[in-house]
């Protein structure tokens, strides 16, 4: 199964609303990863994003699902700026996971 | 400089807007504040020329909103350049009618007048509808959206401010620079950091808030689902790389990142510890119940945003790695 998130339908052309990120994370991304579904996050029409937005969208999925998240989360139509921010979040989340216990989450779930 | 008019012994907040209101002089602006009674506010200006950075403007606006319009006034002779205060919307918040009359067409300019942002929907509307008032290229608008997006979000999430975030911005054609000021009258940085970090004082709290990977919401590596402790570090780094000032004022502390000198070639070096950056700081400023953050962005000095993010991101990773390594057990050698 695939879940498609078309961000332009959820936010304006700049992705900064962390409430929206949280809603998408809790409502779509986490449940989809839990059952092993692929999640395609489509950035078409989005000119930029804050690090905070991307962190709120994907840090918990990476922390909780690790390899499943790396395998099943796919980013579509992300411009270079957005790719850079996603890459930054991937790097520091993996860095923070090394040697950490799984109970070190701040998840609200 | 003209003398500040005196109001006798009545206890009130007094703010003097000088003819040197830029971030380079932010420290002296802060030191000149009298914040003794948050219930009344009196604003005076230099009598011949007034220059106001959005940082100073949003502090005045936030305190005026907190005091309530009926408890505020702008007194004394306001020079012609004080018209800017009107254009930026300050008179609308004060119990003093504007002495300036001008044609509507004069309002056209590249500035964002004082705006209040109370929630994330307000923030999204501000980003999409108001930032275009600066008439920036798509590339430059992106940097401004990023900076305002992160700073406003900090206010909404951490300040617990009743009145939300007060924001203003100005584009300066001559220097091709955008100046941004954001202020709240919430709990301040010390209280926000205290739950998990117990800073000794306000300047320690600011230092922690600027350190990569430290968030007021947890002590855990990687932060929480919502916070990583990256936002302010990224903004300070944008200011540093674009060779500009960045200031924070909260409680009794103010921190100013000084401009990286142009004669120093190459990209300015980033540091995890904000106290290693060229800066000035004080921890005995007039106590401000809230937080003000301001930044200048020189558009001529701004590299491709992608490169900017990449440089900051690489450094951020390194800082996180070093913080983790600092916790590792060390072998015992005898």
């Amino acid at each position: 199964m695939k879940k498609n998130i078309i961000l332009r339908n959820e936010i304006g052309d700049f992705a900064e609303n962390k409430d929206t990120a949280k809603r998408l994370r809790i409502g779509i991304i986490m449940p989809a990863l839990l059952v092993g579904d692929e999640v395609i996050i489509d950035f078409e029409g989005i000119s930029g994003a804050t690090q905070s937005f991307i962190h709120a969208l994907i840090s918990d999925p990476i922390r909780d699902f690790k390899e499943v998240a790396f395998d099943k989360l796919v980013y579509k139509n992300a411009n270079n700026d957005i790719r850079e921010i996603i890459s930054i979040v991937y790097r520091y989340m993996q860095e923070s996971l090394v040697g950490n216990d799984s109970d070190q989450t701040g998840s609200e779930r | 400089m003209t003398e500040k008019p005196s109001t006798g012994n009545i206890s009130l907040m007094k703010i003097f807007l000088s003819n040197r209101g830029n971030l380079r002089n932010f420290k002296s602006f802060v030191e000149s504040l009298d914040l003794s009674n948050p219930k009344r506010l009196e604003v005076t200006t230099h009598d011949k020329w007034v220059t106001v950075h959005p940082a100073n403007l949003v502090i005045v606006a936030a305190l005026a909103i907190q005091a309530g319009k009926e408890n505020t006034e702008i007194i004394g002779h306001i020079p012609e350049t004080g018209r800017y205060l009107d254009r930026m919307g300050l008179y609308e918040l004060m119990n003093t009618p504007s002495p300036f009359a001008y044609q509507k067409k004069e309002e056209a300019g590249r500035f964002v007048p004082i705006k209040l942002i109370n929630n994330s929907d307000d923030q999204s509307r501000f980003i999409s509808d108001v930032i275009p008032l600066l008439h920036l290229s798509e590339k430059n608008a992106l940097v401004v959206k990023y900076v305002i997006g992160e700073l406003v979000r900090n206010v909404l999430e951490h300040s617990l401010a009743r009145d939300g975030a007060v924001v203003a911005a100005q584009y300066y054609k001559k220097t091709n620079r955008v100046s941004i000021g954001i202020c709240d009258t919430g709990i301040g940085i010390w209280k926000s950091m205290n739950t998990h970090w117990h800073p000794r004082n306000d300047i320690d709290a600011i230092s922690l808030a600027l350190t990569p990977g430290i968030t007021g919401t947890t002590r855990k590596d990687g932060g929480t689902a919502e916070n990583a402790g990256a936002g302010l570090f990224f903004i300070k780094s944008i200011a540093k790389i674009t060779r500009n000032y960045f200031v924070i004022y909260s409680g009794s502390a103010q921190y100013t990142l000084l401009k990286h000198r142009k004669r120093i070639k190459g990209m300015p070096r980033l540091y995890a510890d904000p106290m290693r950056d060229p800066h000035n700081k004080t921890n005995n400023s007039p106590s401000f119940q809230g937080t003000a953050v301001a930044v200048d962005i020189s558009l001529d000095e701004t590299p491709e945003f992608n490169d900017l993010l990449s440089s900051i991101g690489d450094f951020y990773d390194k800082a996180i790695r070093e913080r983790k390594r600092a916790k590792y057990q060390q072998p015992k050698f005898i």
Side-chain angles (χ1 to χ4, degrees), chain A residues 81, chain B residues 136-144 299-305:
Chain A
D81 294 338
Chain B
L136 301 172
S137 68
E138 198 176 326
K139 169 198 154 193
N140 290 329
L142 202 57
V143 183
V144 173
L299 304 179
D300 290 338
E301 299 284 342
T302 303
E304 288 297 320
F305 194 45

Side-chain angles (χ1 to χ4, degrees), chain B residues 184-227:
Chain B
D184 68 74
T185 50
I187 60 173
I189 294 179
W190 186 86
K191 270 192 186 167
S192 179
M193 298 304 289
N194 188 44
T195 308
H196 294 283
W197 295 95
H198 315 299
R200 284 173 303 169
N201 51 39
D202 290 313
I203 194 67
D204 278 359
I206 287 178
S207 183
L208 283 166
L210 290 171
T211 302
I214 291 187
T215 163
T217 55
T218 185
R219 286 186 78 99
K220 291 167 186 166
D221 292 329
T224 66
E226 315 292 341
N227 295 99

Side-chain angles (χ1 to χ4, degrees), chain A residues 8-83:
Chain A
R8 197 63 181 89
N9 292 346
E10 310 287 340
I11 50 180
D13 81 323
F14 187 79
E16 40 64 45
N17 190 328
K18 284 171 74 177
D19 293 346
T20 301
K22 181 178 177 179
R23 178 170 55 75
L24 295 172
R25 181 186 79 229
I26 294 171
I28 300 176
I29 298 174
M30 298 296 261
L33 293 178
L34 191 63
V35 295
D37 286 350
E38 187 173 70
V39 182
I40 299 172
I41 304 174
D42 191 339
F43 286 84
E44 183 161 21
I46 306 293
S47 62
T50 60
Q51 170 272 332
S52 296
F53 177 89
I54 299 295
H55 180 92
L57 192 68
I58 62 172
S59 70
D60 233 20
I62 291 172
R63 195 193 325 264
D64 285 8
F65 293 102
K66 300 182 182 71
E67 295 303 324
V68 173
F70 299 137
D71 187 38
K72 300 291 183 182
L73 282 176
V74 181
Y75 308 94
K76 190 176 174 186
N77 295 316
N79 67 26
N80 287 342
D81 294 338
I82 295 168
R83 285 177 183 218

Side-chain angles (χ1 to χ4, degrees), chain B residues 75-262:
Chain B
I75 64 164
H77 173 72
I78 312 297
E80 183 59 25
T81 46
R83 179 183 299 268
Y84 182 71
L85 303 178
D86 194 1
R87 283 162 58 110
M88 292 301 276
L90 188 63
Y91 277 95
E92 287 172 29
L93 301 172
M94 309 285 292
N95 198 22
T96 303
S98 169
F100 303 105
Y102 52 91
Q103 300 291 317
K104 204 71 179 166
K105 65 178 181 183
E106 288 179 56
E107 285 190 26
R110 297 172 70 171
F111 60 89
V112 172
I114 297 163
K115 298 279 180 199
L116 295 185
I117 300 176
N118 280 301
N119 53 52
S120 55
D121 289 339
D122 283 356
Q123 179 182 359
S124 296
R125 269 193 298 276
F126 181 88
I127 297 276
S128 61
D129 300 344
V130 181
I131 290 178
L133 294 177
L134 294 169
H135 304 290
L136 301 172
S137 68
E138 198 176 326
K139 169 198 154 193
N140 290 329
L142 202 57
V143 183
V144 173
K145 285 178 183 178
Y146 189 95
V147 169
I148 292 182
E150 290 287 30
L151 292 179
V152 170
R153 187 68 207 187
N154 271 352
V155 174
L156 299 181
E157 223 165 288
H158 304 299
S159 77
L160 309 181
R162 188 193 60 181
D163 301 316
V166 183
V167 185
Q170 174 73 50
Y171 171 77
Y172 299 97
K173 191 177 176 186
K174 197 174 166 187
T175 48
N176 196 23
R177 189 187 85 215
V178 176
S179 295
I180 298 164
I182 295 178
C183 186
D184 68 74
T185 50
I187 60 173
I189 294 179
W190 186 86
K191 270 192 186 167
S192 179
M193 298 304 289
N194 188 44
T195 308
H196 294 283
W197 295 95
H198 315 299
R200 284 173 303 169
N201 51 39
D202 290 313
I203 194 67
D204 278 359
I206 287 178
S207 183
L208 283 166
L210 290 171
T211 302
I214 291 187
T215 163
T217 55
T218 185
R219 286 186 78 99
K220 291 167 186 166
D221 292 329
T224 66
E226 315 292 341
N227 295 99
L232 279 175
F233 172 75
F234 270 56
I235 307 302
K236 177 177 75 80
S237 300
I238 289 173
K240 186 161 186 191
I241 291 173
T242 63
R243 297 166 188 264
N244 276 294
Y245 291 98
F246 165 87
V247 306
I248 300 196
Y249 176 32
S250 185
S252 298
Q254 75 80 32
Y255 172 95
T256 300
L257 173 77
L258 300 175
K259 227 171 172 170
H260 193 83
R261 288 179 198 154
K262 278 196 173 172

Side-chain angles (χ1 to χ4, degrees), chain A residues 90-98, chain B residues 317 320-321 324:
Chain A
Y90 265 57
R91 290 201 303 267
Y92 74 66
M93 282 310 298
Q94 290 178 82
E95 196 65 55
S96 68
L97 287 173
V98 177
Chain B
D317 293 342
I320 296 296
R321 220 164 26 241
K324 270 187 80 88

Side-chain angles (χ1 to χ4, degrees), chain B residues 13-17 23 26-27 29-31 33-35 41 43 52-67 90 93-94 114 166-168 181-185 247-250 253-254 286-294:
Chain B
M13 290 187 287
K14 295 178 197 172
I15 299 180
F16 176 65
L17 299 175
L23 290 190
F26 186 74
K27 185 180 168 192
F29 169 72
V30 162
E31 286 171 346
L33 298 172
D34 177 350
L35 305 178
L41 171 65
V43 176
V52 186
H53 189 282
N56 306 7
L57 197 63
V58 292
I59 289 174
V60 178
L63 292 172
I65 292 164
Q66 186 186 41
L90 188 63
L93 301 172
M94 309 285 292
I114 297 163
V166 183
V167 185
I182 295 178
C183 186
D184 68 74
T185 50
V247 306
I248 300 196
Y249 176 32
S250 185
Q254 75 80 32
S287 185
F288 171 54
Q289 180 64 50
T291 304
V293 180

